[in-house]
Amino acid sequence: MTSKLDQLKTFTTVVADTGDLDAISHLKPVDATTNPSLLLKAALLPRYTEQLNRAKHLAQTDLNQACDRFAVAVGQEVLKLVPGVISTEVDARLSFHTQATLTRAQRLVDLYTATGVDPKRVLIKIAATWEGIRAAEQLERLGIRTNLTLVFSFAQAAACADAGVYLISPFVGRIYDWYKKHENRDYQGSEDPGVCSVTRIYDYYKAHQYSTVVMGASFRNLSQIEALAGCDRLTISPDLLQQLAQAQGELKRQLIPGQASEPNINLDEPKFRWAMNEDPMATEKLAEGIRLFAQDQVKLERLLLS
């Protein structure tokens, strides 16, 4: 019998959540994604020494440009190994500024284009705040595809679909972490709150024929991945990808288009903000995620200035 990873690939696009070229080369995902935390790890890898040194030189005169160029340099190397796309993130500190997000996103695409990378192979990652969703809506109209990250609530997912974003990343593991801590219990398989969140979003999108791709992210264990087999895409860490590659046994598809779903909803800004206010998990985890990405961005900047 083939491995569970090979079985998963028959009905879900597998994405590597890493900038580690060795891991990508070995596990052969279709797409890859990075964020400030992963870029910080990549900066410490010997194979990125040349790119890091170039970014350090530029940082002396333009730190923001240096950070973007390093992110694009890492993405460029990753794209040599995957047939699909790379997700590159806008500075998390711009999460509440629509115009600044637009400007930074367009620069990232321009930098990729200047290196000969087809813009269609790039997804711009933006935190799914109201301001981020509005920026993504404008970028999509310009032909720049987006990946709305740090999705924790159904309200975020519904707003992203209405905005026409290309892809969303619901964070399964971080939702699980919050409920495990606050409910003082563990969860398995289909009862896992993170799994339930992605399943609800997937069923809603398919029932109402939204084209937005659902990419589950931030996994803690194989059980969560197996419970979401059939999701459009799953972005998985190298450790869990390796475990899947070694795991045997039948892997059944769990998410299938055509399941029952709730009525279509449309959220304006007040309704969106109220829905977020009523969801303490989503409010806390979105704020925390932005802070953590921003902290790693600052660490990367310090490294480039060292």
Side-chain angles (χ1 to χ4, degrees):
M1 181 175 288
T2 58
S3 71
K4 287 189 175 181
L5 177 59
D6 287 336
Q7 292 176 69
L8 180 64
K9 288 179 178 179
T10 63
F11 36 69
T12 290
T13 298
V14 175
V15 180
D17 196 8
T18 181
D20 185 334
L21 299 181
D22 290 332
I24 292 170
S25 180
H26 174 64
L27 295 165
K28 295 180 171 53
V30 174
D31 301 328
T33 182
T34 64
N35 59 44
S37 307
L38 295 174
L39 287 176
L40 190 60
K41 292 179 182 178
L44 303 177
L45 297 175
R47 66 188 312 157
Y48 288 118
T49 299
E50 182 180 346
Q51 293 90 336
L52 181 65
N53 287 337
R54 286 201 298 266
K56 281 186 171 185
H57 179 73
L58 179 59
Q60 305 308 312
T61 55
D62 191 333
L63 184 56
N64 287 336
Q65 179 91 231
C67 289
D68 286 351
R69 284 187 179 275
F70 182 69
V72 168
V74 172
Q76 201 181 352
E77 292 301 312
V78 170
L79 284 174
K80 294 176 182 178
L81 298 175
V82 300
V85 301
I86 182 73
S87 289
T88 299
E89 193 151 348
V90 171
D91 189 334
R93 292 168 295 187
L94 305 179
S95 296
F96 303 101
H97 196 315
T98 297
Q99 186 54 53
T101 297
L102 280 168
T103 300
R104 201 68 172 266
Q106 289 172 313
R107 183 166 76 182
L108 285 168
V109 172
D110 289 344
L111 288 171
Y112 270 112
T113 302
T115 65
V117 171
D118 184 343
K120 292 181 180 179
R121 298 194 68 196
V122 179
L123 301 183
I124 299 298
K125 284 180 76 175
I126 301 168
T129 58
W130 180 258
E131 295 81 2
I133 295 169
R134 298 283 68 80
E137 184 174 37
Q138 294 184 55
L139 289 167
E140 294 286 351
R141 290 172 180 167
L142 294 171
I144 297 173
R145 297 193 299 179
T146 57
N147 170 354
L148 272 290
T149 188
L150 296 174
V151 172
F152 298 102
S153 75
F154 185 74
Q156 288 174 290
C160 286
D162 283 337
V165 307
Y166 177 74
L167 178 148
I168 64 166
S169 298
F171 275 41
V172 178
R174 296 193 195 186
I175 295 174
Y176 161 85
D177 292 343
W178 192 93
Y179 279 100
K180 182 178 180 180
K181 176 182 178 181
H182 286 78
E183 301 293 335
N184 195 29
R185 57 167 291 199
D186 202 356
Y187 299 88
Q188 295 294 326
S190 60
E191 69 169 5
D192 184 309
V195 170
C196 292
S197 177
V198 175
T199 301
R200 181 187 180 191
I201 293 166
Y202 178 90
D203 289 343
Y204 178 78
Y205 278 15
K206 302 312 175 191
H208 298 289
Q209 299 182 327
Y210 284 112
S211 61
T212 300
V213 175
V214 183
M215 183 171 75
S218 172
F219 294 102
R220 299 293 180 257
N221 52 61
L222 293 190
S223 173
Q224 293 172 334
I225 296 170
E226 293 179 16
L228 292 174
C231 191
D232 298 328
R233 301 186 192 188
L234 297 176
T235 180
I236 306 170
S237 69
D239 287 346
L240 288 175
L241 281 173
Q242 188 61 49
Q243 289 180 44
L244 279 170
Q246 296 172 348
Q248 299 297 311
E250 184 182 6
L251 178 65
K252 293 184 178 180
R253 179 168 187 166
Q254 303 298 326
L255 301 192
I256 302 171
Q259 301 300 310
S261 181
E262 54 219 276
N264 188 266
I265 63 171
N266 185 265
L267 299 173
D268 58 14
E269 183 175 356
K271 290 178 181 177
F272 175 87
R273 295 197 185 281
W274 180 252
M276 291 295 290
N277 182 72
E278 289 293 278
D279 189 336
M281 177 278 297
T283 299
E284 291 176 25
K285 298 307 287 185
L286 174 60
E288 177 189 68
I290 291 171
R291 284 196 304 270
L292 291 175
F293 281 157
Q295 288 169 13
D296 281 339
Q297 183 71 29
V298 170
K299 290 177 184 177
L300 178 61
E301 289 175 354
R302 289 173 179 165
L303 178 63
L304 293 182
L305 289 172
S306 64

